[in-house]
Amino acid sequence: MSEFLTIGEPMAVFASEDVDKSLVEAHNFGKYAAGAELNVAIGVSRLGHTAAYLSSVGDDPFGKFLIQAMQVENVDATYVTKSNEYWTGFYLKERVNVGDPSTHYFRKNSAAANYDIRNLEKLNLDDVKIAHLSGIFAALSENDLEVLKALGKTLQSAGKLITFDPNLRPALWDTQSRMIEVTNELAKLATIVVPGVNEGEILVGTDDPASIADFYLNQSRHTQIVIVKIGPKGAFIKEKGKPGRTIQGFKVDKVVDTVGAGDGFAVGLITGLLEKQTLDNAVKRGCAVGALAVMSPGDNDGYPTPDELHKFMSQSV
């Protein structure tokens, strides 16, 4: 089994190559592998660590494409099942020069949304050091919410370090109040909670990083660290029983695509921890991978190799 494990919905994304044209007007698209948790698995693997991914895809061209993409990126797809009954989700994404791109999803009742909880019985967690959970998977269906809870409790019982990214997707939830309730409940499973400051404002009712951190540290005995992503400014860290501190981010020359930046942060953080770096250095690495991510068009194209990451961080000192 791999040293890193995550679960999510893999998706094929068709990203427009026509800058500043709407999805209606665009004609040229590139096809990429995407999905927040798959992005993290790919990034972890690209930085030289073993990564395993849990999910289900349809027995269709998109599903086969995604499994091939995992193989190319050396992501262990042993626990990715194929469904003859359900299909593989995909989405369309605009290409913009400034701001967040418009996206349009086709994922309702996908294979991943119908993941069979019995598959968890086959897991071998012996080599897993860190597992990453995301609020997106829970938002796909009530079925997947139960799967995520079960996996989280299994990981807790096995003494594994769990990172949790809220990854809010309001369009996937029936109501905002339900999204807030479930996401905050899932955060209790995690050793490290990693919200964005804007997510914190929705989930906790404040954009003050220290207050966001205190909320999650106080609500669960399992949560030991909260890292609040504050965009280009970096990240705010607070450990249970210690004062908070801010780690500065990196400047980028040009933002090409912001999708995947938060997942990139998780990649840097997780790999830093796997390499037994200090928490501050791991967070700094997270800021670096996030910065590299926004300078590339694909969801995970900007995630670096070890040499690329070292070069970027060295030049940005």
Side-chain angles (χ1 to χ4, degrees):
M1 187 60 182
S2 301
E3 57 187 328
F4 171 75
L5 173 73
T6 189
I7 185 170
E9 180 180 29
M11 304 184 75
V13 54
F14 290 86
S16 171
E17 296 175 351
D18 299 329
V19 180
D20 289 332
K21 286 189 177 181
S22 71
L23 290 174
V24 176
E25 299 167 328
H27 290 280
N28 302 298
F29 292 82
K31 185 175 69 173
Y32 303 91
E37 303 87 356
L38 179 57
N39 289 340
V40 178
I42 288 173
V44 168
S45 175
R46 204 171 286 171
L47 283 173
H49 297 274
T50 53
Y53 185 67
L54 280 65
S55 193
S56 184
V57 297
D59 189 12
D60 53 42
F62 289 164
K64 294 171 184 176
F65 161 71
L66 288 165
I67 289 177
Q68 286 179 355
M70 293 176 211
Q71 292 169 343
V72 167
E73 295 287 354
N74 296 313
V75 172
D76 184 356
T78 300
Y79 296 114
V80 178
T81 61
K82 290 182 181 179
S83 172
N84 292 315
E85 187 176 358
Y86 302 104
W87 61 311
T88 308
F90 68 98
Y91 75 99
L92 307 176
K93 181 173 69 171
E94 278 185 338
R95 176 79 179 272
V96 295
N97 274 323
V98 179
D100 296 333
S102 173
T103 55
H104 194 86
Y105 289 89
F106 301 83
R107 68 198 309 180
K108 187 175 179 60
N109 205 32
S110 67
N114 290 277
Y115 184 83
D116 190 340
I117 196 169
R118 293 173 295 182
N119 291 324
L120 298 183
E121 299 170 6
K122 305 172 186 177
L123 285 180
N124 179 349
L125 299 176
D126 291 348
D127 297 327
V128 174
K129 297 175 182 176
I130 299 178
H132 180 69
L133 306 180
S134 160
I136 297 176
F137 193 71
L140 297 177
S141 64
E142 287 296 320
N143 172 80
D144 284 4
L145 173 57
E146 294 308 310
V147 169
L148 200 65
K149 287 179 180 178
L151 177 59
K153 291 175 181 177
T154 298
L155 291 164
Q156 274 188 347
S157 298
K160 306 301 181 181
L161 189 155
I162 303 171
T163 57
F164 177 73
D165 186 338
N167 256 328
L168 297 183
R169 298 292 188 273
L172 294 177
W173 294 94
D174 292 336
T175 65
Q176 179 164 296
S177 60
R178 175 67 172 160
M179 176 181 73
I180 293 170
E181 174 191 2
V182 172
T183 304
N184 286 339
E185 190 66 24
L186 290 171
K188 294 179 181 179
L189 296 169
T191 318
I192 303 176
V193 182
V194 192
V197 67
N198 293 332
E199 291 176 322
E201 187 169 11
I202 295 169
L203 294 168
V204 181
T206 177
D207 62 359
D208 174 52
S211 298
I212 296 168
D214 286 339
F215 175 87
Y216 289 110
L217 289 170
N218 293 333
Q219 80 158 358
S220 172
R221 63 183 178 86
H222 294 288
T223 302
Q224 300 300 311
I225 301 168
V226 178
I227 303 167
V228 183
K229 295 169 286 187
I230 50 179
K233 296 179 181 179
F236 176 83
I237 306 171
K238 192 162 188 184
E239 301 175 73
K240 189 163 282 187
K242 298 181 180 181
R245 57 197 184 274
T246 299
I247 302 298
Q248 295 300 312
F250 292 83
K251 293 182 180 180
V252 298
D253 295 330
K254 182 180 180 181
V255 175
V256 176
D257 189 337
T258 58
V259 176
D263 302 326
F265 182 91
V267 168
L269 170 68
I270 290 164
T271 54
L273 295 175
L274 286 172
E275 294 169 20
K276 301 188 183 304
Q277 296 185 10
T278 65
L279 179 59
D280 285 16
N281 285 346
V283 171
K284 190 73 172 180
R285 174 186 273 214
C287 293
V289 179
L292 285 164
V294 303
M295 293 189 282
S296 297
D299 288 21
N300 53 59
D301 281 15
Y303 297 170
T305 63
D307 287 344
E308 290 167 343
L309 179 58
H310 176 74
K311 181 179 179 181
F312 175 77
M313 294 187 73
S314 298
Q315 293 176 342
S316 302
V317 173

